[in-house]
Amino acid sequence: MGRAATTIIHNSLAVAVGLLSFGCAANWHDNGKDFLNPYENGNLTKAATEATRSAKDGVEHDKVILNLEAGAILRAVNRIPESTAAFDAADALVGDYNQWPEVRFSEEIAAAVTTVRNTNYRGYLSDLVMLNVYRALNAMETGNSDAARTNLVRASFVQQDIATKYADALANAQQKLDAKGAQAKQKGDYDTNATMNQRLDGGQTVEEKLVGSSDLQDLRATKNYVNPFADYLQGIYFLSSGVDASDRERAAVAFKRVAGMMPNNPYVAQDVEEAERVANGAALAPITYVIFETGLPPYRDQIQIPLPLFILNNQAPSVVLYFPTIHSRDGYVSELTVSAGGGQYTSAIVADMDAIVKQEFRNQLPTIITRMIIGAATKAVIDAASKQAMKNQDATAQLAVSLGMLLYQAAFNQADLRTWRTLPKQFQVARVPTPSDRNLTLRLSDGSYAIPVQLPEGK
């Protein structure tokens, strides 16, 4: 047996052994259910325990998302210092925001011979915004005004400076993938464009098929990545805790941005009026904000699509590739009613996380598709080369290589389903003039709870 053929067999067997041994450390795809299932079923204590364990023991490439999940769940059980620690760990792993997201894209491009599930998850743009928003909320709840300010400024930086850079980097990543495909075609390996433009049953392209199979029918790729809740929280903070005229002006600007995005929210219009009044020197009226997080965010699934890979030196038959889809979650409390001082106030949406997360997925879809096709084609070229190298070997050796490559392709053509699953579906707000008795009653629209709240002293 030749050295090349021996190496191929060893590599194939190494892949098979890796598949059997993988899972010693927690990873999001295999172990996420340990905390997601109890979280989604209301067993928050168990969810917090499992999420904390996974974040501590998880594989390196999933550490960011595991810490994001742990941070959100620990917030839900009021373990605020531990929640902040988990978010801080995620932030440290993301690293320098000015180097984001190029590192992640380059890693994904390099994943052609492995699986996108093993690339480093460094967060989506919506993750970075909410990471800093939640850290700001934690700081506000514990009275750490300086930390709240710092994280709100970071969230604003992500939404403005980094969002522009992100859109450019996404386009740059697509250009790199296109260049990689052109190079492969020139070498005579495979033709990415031929696969991309192949019409499926029903006459659809892969992208059209995925859009139709996801909850994306009403979305078109745009460069808008803004989360109104991040601006809204900034407005609340700088309105109530601003130290000078520039802070008060910052509050007015933030509320005006939200009003432009959420024109049907009556509370935001009141906030714009109040912020302008305070910016002009008036005293702040006593206000209570009730922030309501309801429902669960979109989840990713995968769909099988058979495609010809157009291997140029050896036309490959159709292979089944797994592409990601995204779907909304139903079954959530639609609103909250606040009773205070003889009046009733119904919560209104200030940020639709469903729309934000799905828009980002839609924007990434062309890059995701190209990357998956290049990865599958690269693996098919390796498969064809291994068969060519083994054609003069005995049947047992050929079977070993075929089995190894079958396991290799089946395992590594899976879609990346990682997405922050413990965010809410919506952020809603009710803005209430603080009652003199400082008593509120919160009622869910499904009639399941009436929750009395005694407000602490404060503005």
Side-chain angles (χ1 to χ4, degrees):
M1 183 179 296
R3 179 174 296 177
T6 304
T7 301
I8 290 169
I9 289 179
H10 286 169
N11 288 341
S12 301
L13 294 177
V15 170
V17 170
L19 292 172
L20 294 173
S21 62
F22 188 71
C24 297
N27 71 85
W28 188 93
H29 281 94
D30 293 335
N31 304 103
K33 61 182 181 299
D34 294 343
F35 54 82
L36 291 174
N37 287 348
Y39 178 80
E40 293 172 2
N41 288 306
N43 188 346
L44 300 185
T45 300
K46 181 178 181 181
T49 298
E50 294 297 331
T52 301
R53 179 189 59 77
S54 293
K56 178 183 177 183
D57 300 333
V59 294
E60 286 302 315
H61 58 258
D62 281 355
K63 282 279 192 178
V64 168
I65 191 167
L66 291 173
N67 275 287
L68 292 176
E69 305 280 25
I73 295 173
L74 289 164
R75 259 189 63 78
V77 292
N78 204 34
R79 290 161 58 179
I80 302 300
E82 293 170 82
S83 170
T84 298
F87 287 136
D88 288 348
D91 185 71
L93 290 164
V94 169
D96 183 359
Y97 285 15
N98 285 310
Q99 299 300 317
W100 183 97
E102 282 95 337
V103 173
R104 180 164 63 87
F105 282 131
S106 64
E107 288 168 351
E108 290 176 350
I109 293 169
V113 296
T114 176
T115 170
V116 291
R117 292 187 174 188
N118 286 349
T119 56
N120 284 329
Y121 186 97
R122 298 185 68 231
Y124 298 108
L125 187 111
S126 54
D127 294 346
L128 298 194
V129 173
M130 282 308 307
L131 163 63
N132 288 293
V133 165
Y134 272 147
R135 291 203 295 175
L137 278 170
N138 283 353
M140 292 166 75
E141 288 187 35
T142 55
N144 190 338
S145 182
D146 289 343
R149 174 187 286 266
T150 297
N151 286 299
L152 287 170
V153 170
R154 283 171 67 86
S156 179
F157 170 67
V158 172
Q159 293 221 113
Q160 296 174 43
D161 295 50
I162 301 298
T164 300
K165 179 172 173 285
Y166 179 50
D168 294 340
L170 193 62
N172 185 50
Q174 185 63 45
Q175 290 175 0
K176 289 180 179 178
L177 286 169
D178 291 342
K180 186 177 179 69
Q183 184 181 31
K185 183 176 180 180
Q186 187 176 15
K187 287 172 58 182
D189 288 341
Y190 54 81
D191 187 343
T192 305
N193 286 334
T195 302
M196 288 281 289
N197 296 324
Q198 181 73 15
R199 292 286 168 176
L200 310 174
D201 292 341
Q204 299 172 304
T205 64
V206 176
E207 183 171 351
E208 291 166 346
K209 174 74 172 177
L210 292 179
V211 169
S213 301
S214 302
D215 296 340
L216 301 174
Q217 289 85 346
D218 298 327
L219 292 178
R220 296 292 181 269
T222 71
K223 291 188 178 182
N224 183 9
Y225 296 96
V226 177
N227 181 337
F229 182 66
D231 282 322
Y232 193 70
L233 190 64
Q234 186 179 158
I236 292 174
Y237 173 84
F238 286 106
L239 180 64
S240 63
S241 302
V243 296
D244 54 27
S246 64
D247 280 354
R248 291 187 285 274
E249 180 62 26
R250 176 176 271 179
V253 170
F255 282 133
K256 287 176 183 176
R257 279 201 302 264
V258 180
M261 292 180 280
M262 307 299 293
N264 297 323
N265 187 314
Y267 302 117
V268 177
Q270 296 171 21
D271 284 313
V272 170
E273 183 179 344
E274 179 69 5
E276 289 180 333
R277 213 175 56 80
V278 172
N280 289 324
L284 176 65
I287 307 169
T288 296
Y289 290 93
V290 180
I291 296 170
F292 180 42
E293 300 181 44
T294 182
L296 295 167
Y299 67 95
R300 292 190 180 196
D301 202 350
Q302 60 182 11
I303 184 174
Q304 300 179 17
I305 299 180
L307 279 174
L309 290 177
F310 293 98
I311 307 302
L312 299 179
N313 291 333
N314 182 11
Q315 173 67 49
S318 292
V319 297
V320 174
L321 300 185
Y322 292 83
F323 291 96
T325 57
I326 192 164
H327 307 278
S328 298
R329 300 289 295 267
D330 295 324
Y332 67 102
V333 178
S334 61
E335 61 189 24
L336 180 78
T337 300
V338 182
S339 300
Q344 288 197 336
Y345 306 82
T346 301
S347 62
I349 298 173
V350 72
D352 184 345
M353 294 305 299
D354 259 18
I356 292 167
V357 173
K358 287 191 289 187
Q359 183 66 66
E360 189 165 10
F361 177 86
R362 177 67 182 87
N363 290 348
Q364 292 177 327
L365 200 52
T367 302
I368 291 172
I369 294 168
T370 308
R371 187 177 66 246
M372 293 294 292
I373 289 175
I374 286 177
T378 302
K379 297 174 185 68
V381 169
I382 294 172
D383 186 22
S386 68
K387 289 176 180 177
Q388 178 66 26
M390 294 297 297
K391 68 179 182 179
N392 295 323
Q393 306 302 321
D394 60 73
T396 301
Q398 292 184 32
L399 179 61
V401 169
S402 296
L403 178 59
M405 291 307 303
L406 182 64
L407 289 170
Y408 173 55
Q409 296 213 44
F412 288 170
N413 280 340
Q414 300 292 307
D416 187 355
L417 306 182
R418 292 173 294 184
T419 184
W420 191 352
R421 288 273 296 273
T422 48
L423 290 171
K425 182 183 187 74
Q426 296 173 353
F427 283 94
Q428 300 185 14
V429 64
R431 183 185 190 278
V432 179
T434 304
S436 57
D437 62 4
R438 310 190 78 78
N439 289 320
L440 307 180
T441 301
L442 313 180
R443 291 183 173 84
L444 304 182
S445 60
D446 64 2
S448 56
Y449 292 101
I451 306 166
V453 176
Q454 176 66 46
L455 295 176
E457 292 300 319
K459 295 180 184 180

